Amino acid sequence: MRAVIVAAAVAFIVSLFCTPIGIKVFRALKAGQPIRSLGPASHQSKKGTPTMGGVVFIVATVIAYVAGHLALTTLPEAQIAQVKPTVTALVLLGLFVFCGAVGFLDDYLKVRKRNSGGLSAKGKLFGQLLIGTTFGVIALYFPSTNGETVGSTTISFIRDIDFLNVGKVVSVIIFVGVVMAASNGVNLTDGLDGLATGASVMVLGSYALIAFWQYRHWCGDTAYIKSNSYCYAVRDPLEIALIAGAAAGACVGFLWWNTSPARIFMGDTGALGLGGLIGGLAMASRTMLLLLILGGLFVIITMSVVIQIISFKTTGKRVFRMSPLQHHFELAGWSEVNIVVRFWIIAGIGVAIALGLFYGEFLAAHG
């Protein structure tokens, strides 16, 4: 647990104190956020706010990961822990960094063109598809010495559902789909000061708890399984907890500056990166379907966009005043802070239900 706490603390400190530096740098580079003319009129006042802030918490997470490993080597239980960097870390941090890189390219083009166009939708999807496929193959085709891979060939909810084995090829496709869905879900949620950051903190923090619980009841811990037949067949649960904790800490530090009125935006750099990481965490911790509840706010906001598009194309009518859903409530007269806080409550409810289901399954199995 010490290593996870160290990683989270280091990430928080680095993000908290480096974000103001990022604000100054992006202002000097004139990397201000262009605002859509079709968006809510109140957003025009945000024009020029530095964007690409996701760079700060992505870098902070990587630094914290290294710090966490330095702390890990001093622990007495190091012989059963993932002391050296693992393939799990490669997959999770790779998704975080490279999905963030796609977002960075989008942000860069927006700033350079001085409009909200950026990278085309096809360009974003192609980048996500390429990254998801690359790390999906690594996750499914590179087992550890005990035969475990980062991803699983079975569909998972709270753990692998053994009778839903779909094979490696289909599993890679599912891996890509989950990463792309999560990445775009967080991206759609971003748009109000602190909304996506705060919701991501809850989800990432939950994955740190889930993965650490899996580590304490891990099939790879020979001392544990000698006296307990119940265990979690996850490849590197301590790595998952460390990275999730570091990312959560980094986001909390960033939220200090990103909350209303935001002095910096995460941009697509942060949103796509966070979504890619969250999708990877779901696959690595074998809680794929649980993500639908754990990230319930992202699902609701994504579905609002899908419903709006389907309704308009089939009937010519809009269900919402504007999508994503947060903009509907802006046009309904809700203040930005009210929307953010109430949406955080929704995110918290989803997290609480998911953690309850996860722990309830553990109690039921032991009972």
Side-chain angles (χ1 to χ4, degrees):
M1 190 65 175
R2 187 190 310 171
V4 178
I5 293 173
V6 167
V10 169
F12 169 73
I13 293 169
V14 171
S15 185
L16 180 66
F17 290 103
C18 288
T19 299
I21 298 173
I23 293 172
K24 291 179 181 178
V25 170
F26 292 133
R27 277 181 178 163
L29 296 174
K30 297 181 179 180
Q33 176 70 46
I35 303 297
R36 289 190 309 157
S37 58
L38 297 176
S42 60
H43 285 207
Q44 294 304 316
S45 62
K46 302 181 181 184
K47 187 175 181 178
T49 301
T51 187
M52 303 183 189
V55 170
V56 178
F57 58 72
I58 290 174
V59 172
T61 301
V62 175
I63 292 172
Y65 171 76
V66 176
H69 265 271
L70 292 176
L72 191 63
T73 57
T74 66
L75 296 179
E77 66 266 27
Q79 67 272 15
I80 62 169
Q82 298 87 47
V83 176
K84 296 181 180 179
T86 62
V87 173
T88 300
L90 172 66
V91 171
L92 295 179
L93 292 177
L95 288 170
F96 199 15
V97 171
F98 285 100
C99 285
V102 173
F104 182 86
L105 178 59
D106 182 47
D107 289 333
Y108 172 77
L109 292 175
K110 288 177 183 176
V111 170
R112 184 179 179 184
K113 295 177 181 178
R114 302 296 176 188
N115 62 54
S116 59
L119 190 64
S120 68
K122 289 182 179 179
K124 282 186 190 179
L125 291 175
F126 176 76
Q128 292 170 328
L129 178 64
L130 180 61
I131 293 164
T133 302
T134 300
F135 288 104
V137 169
I138 294 173
L140 269 300
Y141 285 87
F142 289 84
S144 61
T145 53
N146 65 358
E148 288 288 347
T149 53
V150 178
S152 174
T153 58
T154 63
I155 305 297
S156 60
F157 178 44
I158 293 172
R159 58 174 63 243
D160 284 336
I161 305 172
D162 293 334
F163 64 87
L164 293 180
N165 193 314
V166 295
K168 287 187 177 181
V169 174
V170 175
S171 294
V172 170
I173 295 171
I174 293 173
F175 185 99
V176 174
V178 170
V179 168
M180 292 179 69
S183 187
N184 288 299
V186 176
N187 195 28
L188 291 172
T189 303
D190 189 30
L192 299 185
D193 295 354
L195 177 57
T197 310
S200 296
V201 167
M202 296 183 206
V203 175
L204 291 167
S206 299
Y207 270 120
L209 291 173
I210 287 172
F212 188 75
W213 187 261
Q214 291 175 330
Y215 170 65
R216 300 302 297 177
H217 306 85
W218 183 33
C219 296
D221 182 350
T222 54
Y224 172 78
I225 60 174
K226 282 181 180 179
S227 57
N228 296 273
S229 59
Y230 183 90
C231 61
Y232 293 95
V234 178
R235 174 159 175 169
D236 302 303
L238 189 58
E239 283 280 71
I240 299 170
L242 196 154
I243 292 170
C251 285
V252 172
F254 181 77
L255 184 59
W256 183 271
W257 307 100
N258 180 235
T259 193
S260 182
R263 292 184 57 188
I264 187 171
F265 298 141
M266 69 166 68
D268 280 15
T269 305
L272 295 182
L274 283 173
L277 174 60
I278 289 170
L281 289 169
M283 301 305 289
S285 63
R286 314 291 170 86
T287 56
M288 181 180 73
L289 296 179
L290 189 66
L291 179 59
L292 294 173
I293 303 171
L294 194 62
L297 178 65
F298 303 138
V299 175
I300 291 169
I301 289 177
T302 301
M303 289 307 299
S304 74
V305 176
V306 174
I307 291 169
Q308 186 86 322
I309 292 172
I310 293 175
S311 176
F312 188 75
K313 287 191 174 182
T314 56
T315 68
K317 297 180 180 180
R318 292 180 172 85
V319 176
F320 307 103
R321 289 180 172 92
M322 182 179 291
S323 65
L325 188 61
Q326 59 268 34
H327 299 320
H328 167 83
F329 289 105
E330 278 191 286
L331 296 182
W334 291 23
S335 71
E336 181 170 359
V337 172
N338 271 341
I339 297 169
V340 170
V341 172
R342 287 168 180 171
F343 276 38
W344 280 353
I345 292 171
I346 294 171
I349 292 171
V351 163
I353 293 172
L355 289 178
L357 289 171
F358 179 83
Y359 187 60
E361 189 269 349
F362 177 83
L363 291 179
H366 269 271

